[in-house]
Amino acid sequence: EVQLVQSGAEVKKPGESLKISCKSSGYSFTSYWIGWVRQMPGKGLEWMGIIYPGDSDTRYSPSFQGQVTISADKSISTAYLQWNSLKASDTATYYCARQSGVVITTDFDYWGQGTLVSVSS
Amino acid sequence: SYELTQPPSVSVSPGQTARITCSGDALPKQYAYWYQQKPGQAPVLVIYKDNERPSGIPERFSGSSSGTTVTLTISGVQAEDEADYYCQSADISGTYVVFGGGTKLTVL
Protein backbone atom coordinates (compact mmCIF):
# COMPACT_ATOMS: atom_id res chain seq x y z
CA GLU A 1 0.00 0.00 0.00
CA VAL A 2 1.38 3.38 -1.05
CA GLN A 3 1.61 5.82 1.85
CA LEU A 4 3.02 9.30 2.29
CA VAL A 5 3.28 10.28 5.95
CA GLN A 6 4.17 13.85 6.79
CA SER A 7 5.74 15.29 9.93
CA GLY A 8 3.57 16.97 12.53
CA ALA A 9 2.30 20.50 12.93
CA GLU A 10 4.83 23.25 13.63
CA VAL A 11 4.55 26.57 15.45
CA LYS A 12 7.43 28.93 14.68
CA LYS A 13 8.43 32.57 14.96
CA PRO A 14 9.31 34.83 12.01
CA GLY A 15 12.94 34.48 11.03
CA GLU A 16 13.25 30.90 12.28
CA SER A 17 14.21 28.00 10.04
CA LEU A 18 12.16 24.87 9.44
CA LYS A 19 12.38 21.56 7.62
CA ILE A 20 9.28 19.38 7.24
CA SER A 21 9.31 15.83 5.97
CA CYS A 22 7.31 13.38 3.89
CA LYS A 23 8.14 9.67 4.33
CA SER A 24 7.09 7.36 1.50
CA SER A 25 6.43 3.64 1.61
CA GLY A 26 4.85 0.92 -0.49
CA TYR A 27 6.56 1.78 -3.78
CA SER A 28 9.95 2.52 -5.32
CA PHE A 29 10.76 5.97 -3.90
CA THR A 30 13.40 6.70 -6.54
CA SER A 31 11.06 6.09 -9.49
CA TYR A 32 8.39 8.76 -8.95
CA TRP A 33 8.38 12.54 -8.67
CA ILE A 34 7.31 13.96 -5.29
CA GLY A 35 5.75 17.41 -5.27
CA TRP A 36 4.91 19.97 -2.60
CA VAL A 37 1.67 21.94 -2.57
CA ARG A 38 0.79 24.92 -0.37
CA GLN A 39 -2.69 25.73 0.86
CA MET A 40 -3.00 28.97 2.79
CA PRO A 41 -5.92 29.24 5.24
CA GLY A 42 -9.19 29.29 3.33
CA LYS A 43 -7.41 29.42 -0.02
CA GLY A 44 -6.67 27.16 -2.96
CA LEU A 45 -3.87 24.77 -3.89
CA GLU A 46 -0.54 26.16 -5.11
CA TRP A 47 2.18 24.06 -6.70
CA MET A 48 5.52 24.86 -5.08
CA GLY A 49 7.91 22.47 -6.77
CA ILE A 50 8.89 18.89 -7.30
CA ILE A 51 11.82 16.49 -6.94
CA TYR A 52 12.79 13.22 -8.61
CA PRO A 53 14.53 11.30 -5.82
CA GLY A 54 16.28 9.02 -8.30
CA ASP A 55 18.66 11.76 -9.41
CA SER A 56 17.57 14.72 -7.23
CA ASP A 57 16.35 16.66 -10.29
CA THR A 58 14.36 19.53 -8.72
CA ARG A 59 12.02 22.07 -10.28
CA TYR A 60 10.44 25.09 -8.60
CA SER A 61 7.46 27.27 -9.34
CA PRO A 62 8.68 30.80 -10.14
CA SER A 63 6.58 31.94 -7.17
CA PHE A 64 8.60 29.82 -4.75
CA GLN A 65 12.07 29.77 -6.36
CA GLY A 66 14.57 31.05 -3.81
CA GLN A 67 12.00 30.98 -1.01
CA VAL A 68 12.15 27.27 -0.15
CA THR A 69 14.41 24.28 -0.74
CA ILE A 70 13.15 20.84 -1.75
CA SER A 71 15.36 17.84 -1.12
CA ALA A 72 15.19 14.07 -0.67
CA ASP A 73 17.07 11.31 1.14
CA LYS A 74 16.88 8.08 -0.85
CA SER A 75 18.25 6.01 2.02
CA ILE A 76 15.14 6.66 4.12
CA SER A 77 12.60 7.33 1.33
CA THR A 78 11.89 10.81 2.62
CA ALA A 79 11.37 14.13 0.89
CA TYR A 80 11.80 17.49 2.60
CA LEU A 81 10.63 21.08 2.31
CA GLN A 82 12.84 23.65 4.01
CA TRP A 83 12.78 27.35 4.88
CA ASN A 84 15.80 29.36 6.06
CA SER A 85 13.82 32.32 7.38
CA LEU A 86 10.09 31.96 7.89
CA LYS A 87 7.60 34.78 7.41
CA ALA A 88 4.09 35.12 8.77
CA SER A 89 2.86 34.69 5.20
CA ASP A 90 4.29 31.14 5.21
CA THR A 91 1.44 30.11 7.51
CA ALA A 92 -0.32 27.35 5.61
CA THR A 93 -0.90 23.63 5.28
CA TYR A 94 1.74 21.96 3.14
CA TYR A 95 1.03 18.73 1.30
CA CYS A 96 3.44 16.34 -0.34
CA ALA A 97 2.09 14.23 -3.17
CA ARG A 98 3.39 11.56 -5.54
CA GLN A 99 3.20 12.19 -9.24
CA SER A 100 1.84 9.18 -11.11
CA GLY A 101 3.95 9.37 -14.27
CA VAL A 102 7.49 9.89 -15.45
CA VAL A 103 6.91 13.52 -16.41
CA ILE A 104 5.95 16.33 -14.06
CA THR A 105 2.77 17.12 -15.96
CA THR A 106 0.92 14.05 -14.71
CA ASP A 107 -1.51 13.81 -11.84
CA PHE A 108 -0.80 13.49 -8.12
CA ASP A 109 -2.19 10.06 -7.29
CA TYR A 110 -1.22 9.79 -3.61
CA TRP A 111 -1.11 12.60 -1.05
CA GLY A 112 0.28 13.04 2.42
CA GLN A 113 -2.03 14.11 5.22
CA GLY A 114 -0.66 17.66 5.27
CA THR A 115 1.56 19.57 7.69
CA LEU A 116 0.20 22.75 9.26
CA VAL A 117 2.87 25.40 9.68
CA SER A 118 1.96 28.40 11.83
CA VAL A 119 4.31 31.40 11.91
CA SER A 120 3.59 34.13 14.41
CA SER A 121 5.48 36.43 16.73
CA SER B 1 2.61 33.22 -15.54
CA TYR B 2 0.16 30.61 -16.77
CA GLU B 3 -3.26 30.44 -15.09
CA LEU B 4 -6.24 28.11 -15.02
CA THR B 5 -9.59 29.80 -14.44
CA GLN B 6 -12.47 28.18 -12.55
CA PRO B 7 -15.76 29.66 -11.32
CA PRO B 8 -15.58 30.32 -7.57
CA SER B 9 -18.81 28.53 -6.84
CA VAL B 10 -21.45 26.23 -8.31
CA SER B 11 -24.73 25.29 -6.63
CA VAL B 12 -27.06 22.43 -7.50
CA SER B 13 -29.90 20.51 -5.90
CA PRO B 14 -29.51 16.83 -5.06
CA GLY B 15 -30.03 14.61 -8.08
CA GLN B 16 -29.22 17.36 -10.57
CA THR B 17 -26.10 17.64 -12.73
CA ALA B 18 -23.20 19.88 -11.72
CA ARG B 19 -20.74 21.16 -14.29
CA ILE B 20 -17.49 22.83 -13.26
CA THR B 21 -15.32 24.40 -15.92
CA CYS B 22 -11.61 25.12 -16.09
CA SER B 23 -10.13 27.34 -18.80
CA GLY B 24 -6.55 27.76 -19.92
CA ASP B 25 -4.71 28.47 -23.15
CA ALA B 26 -2.54 25.33 -22.91
CA LEU B 27 -5.38 22.89 -22.29
CA PRO B 28 -5.53 21.77 -25.94
CA LYS B 29 -1.92 20.59 -25.50
CA GLN B 30 -1.80 19.47 -21.87
CA TYR B 31 -3.98 16.99 -20.00
CA ALA B 32 -6.20 18.18 -17.17
CA TYR B 33 -6.78 16.50 -13.86
CA TRP B 34 -9.49 17.08 -11.25
CA TYR B 35 -9.33 16.80 -7.46
CA GLN B 36 -12.01 16.81 -4.79
CA GLN B 37 -11.13 18.29 -1.41
CA LYS B 38 -13.36 18.15 1.63
CA PRO B 39 -12.72 20.32 4.72
CA GLY B 40 -9.71 19.21 6.71
CA GLN B 41 -8.75 16.52 4.21
CA ALA B 42 -6.12 16.10 1.53
CA PRO B 43 -7.24 16.35 -2.11
CA VAL B 44 -8.42 13.20 -3.87
CA LEU B 45 -7.98 12.61 -7.61
CA VAL B 46 -11.36 12.12 -9.31
CA ILE B 47 -10.47 12.52 -13.03
CA TYR B 48 -7.15 12.11 -14.84
CA LYS B 49 -6.08 12.69 -18.45
CA ASP B 50 -9.15 14.86 -19.13
CA ASN B 51 -11.74 12.10 -18.87
CA GLU B 52 -10.40 8.97 -17.15
CA ARG B 53 -11.80 7.92 -13.79
CA PRO B 54 -9.53 6.31 -11.16
CA SER B 55 -10.69 3.09 -9.59
CA GLY B 56 -12.99 3.68 -6.67
CA ILE B 57 -14.39 6.95 -8.01
CA PRO B 58 -18.16 6.76 -8.64
CA GLU B 59 -19.36 6.66 -12.23
CA ARG B 60 -21.30 9.89 -11.73
CA PHE B 61 -17.98 11.74 -12.04
CA SER B 62 -16.88 12.38 -15.63
CA GLY B 63 -14.62 14.75 -17.51
CA SER B 64 -14.57 16.27 -20.96
CA SER B 65 -12.46 18.64 -23.02
CA SER B 66 -13.22 21.15 -25.73
CA GLY B 67 -10.59 23.57 -26.94
CA THR B 68 -9.27 25.69 -24.10
CA THR B 69 -11.89 24.49 -21.61
CA VAL B 70 -12.20 21.26 -19.66
CA THR B 71 -15.29 20.33 -17.68
CA LEU B 72 -15.93 18.15 -14.66
CA THR B 73 -19.47 16.81 -14.67
CA ILE B 74 -21.13 15.24 -11.65
CA SER B 75 -24.39 13.54 -12.62
CA GLY B 76 -27.02 12.86 -9.98
CA VAL B 77 -25.24 14.98 -7.38
CA GLN B 78 -25.36 13.67 -3.84
CA ALA B 79 -24.95 15.54 -0.57
CA GLU B 80 -21.56 13.88 -0.08
CA ASP B 81 -20.26 15.55 -3.25
CA GLU B 82 -20.28 18.95 -1.56
CA ALA B 83 -16.61 19.94 -1.60
CA ASP B 84 -14.01 22.12 -3.27
CA TYR B 85 -12.89 20.98 -6.72
CA TYR B 86 -9.57 21.89 -8.34
CA CYS B 87 -8.32 21.39 -11.87
CA GLN B 88 -4.60 20.84 -12.49
CA SER B 89 -2.61 21.03 -15.68
CA ALA B 90 0.69 22.41 -16.96
CA ASP B 91 1.99 25.31 -19.02
CA ILE B 92 2.43 24.82 -22.77
CA SER B 93 6.05 23.71 -22.44
CA GLY B 94 5.35 21.25 -19.63
CA THR B 95 7.74 23.05 -17.31
CA TYR B 96 5.36 24.03 -14.52
CA VAL B 97 2.37 22.46 -12.85
CA VAL B 98 -0.59 24.75 -12.28
CA PHE B 99 -3.77 24.46 -10.23
CA GLY B 100 -6.96 26.31 -10.89
CA GLY B 101 -8.30 28.58 -8.19
CA GLY B 102 -10.87 26.03 -7.07
CA THR B 103 -14.67 25.81 -7.21
CA LYS B 104 -16.85 25.33 -4.17
CA LEU B 105 -19.71 22.97 -4.99
CA THR B 106 -22.74 23.51 -2.79
CA VAL B 107 -25.52 20.92 -2.72
CA LEU B 108 -28.69 22.82 -1.86
Side-chain angles (χ1 to χ4, degrees):
Chain A
E1 178 193 10
V2 174
Q3 285 191 311
L4 281 66
V5 179
Q6 298 185 228
S7 49
E10 301 275 0
V11 179
K12 307 293 279 186
K13 290 181 167 36
E16 292 185 332
S17 62
L18 176 65
K19 192 174 189 177
I20 62 175
S21 65
C22 169
K23 182 167 178 60
S24 300
S25 62
Y27 72 99
S28 174
F29 179 67
T30 55
S31 300
Y32 292 82
W33 293 87
I34 291 279
W36 287 94
V37 177
R38 183 175 80 174
Q39 187 166 41
M40 299 176 75
K43 302 298 184 182
L45 306 175
E46 299 174 89
W47 182 75
M48 302 177 70
I50 200 159
I51 188 166
Y52 189 76
D55 59 7
S56 294
D57 184 4
T58 308
R59 319 280 178 85
Y60 292 93
S61 161
S63 300
F64 291 93
Q65 179 83 48
Q67 307 303 309
V68 297
T69 301
I70 294 171
S71 61
D73 185 337
K74 289 187 290 189
S75 68
I76 54 173
S77 300
T78 300
Y80 300 97
L81 179 64
Q82 181 176 358
W83 295 260
N84 288 335
S85 181
L86 286 161
K87 303 185 280 287
S89 57
D90 292 318
T91 294
T93 296
Y94 294 87
Y95 292 100
C96 64
R98 189 189 83 161
Q99 208 124 32
S100 69
V102 297
V103 294
I104 72 166
T105 56
T106 54
D107 55 280
F108 293 105
D109 56 356
Y110 290 92
W111 293 69
Q113 82 275 22
T115 295
L116 176 61
V117 174
S118 299
V119 185
S120 174
S121 55
Chain B
S1 61
Y2 182 55
E3 293 184 352
L4 296 173
T5 301
Q6 298 181 233
S9 63
V10 168
S11 299
V12 295
S13 299
Q16 290 190 326
T17 296
R19 294 181 179 85
I20 299 172
T21 59
C22 172
S23 299
D25 289 342
L27 287 175
K29 299 287 189 185
Q30 298 288 352
Y31 282 123
Y33 309 93
W34 290 95
Y35 300 88
Q36 176 193 69
Q37 186 182 33
K38 296 182 178 179
Q41 298 183 19
V44 173
L45 181 70
V46 294
I47 293 291
Y48 66 99
K49 288 187 179 179
D50 292 347
N51 55 21
E52 301 287 336
R53 195 173 51 251
S55 61
I57 300 301
E59 290 184 9
R60 63 180 181 274
F61 288 87
S62 63
S64 61
S65 175
S66 179
T68 58
T69 299
V70 293
T71 302
L72 172 69
T73 300
I74 310 172
S75 304
V77 166
Q78 301 182 6
E80 67 199 51
D81 299 329
E82 186 164 284
D84 294 324
Y85 290 86
Y86 296 91
C87 61
Q88 175 219 318
S89 187
D91 68 307
I92 191 71
S93 63
T95 304
Y96 305 113
V97 172
V98 181
F99 286 100
T103 298
K104 181 175 180 59
L105 175 66
T106 299
V107 181
L108 301 170

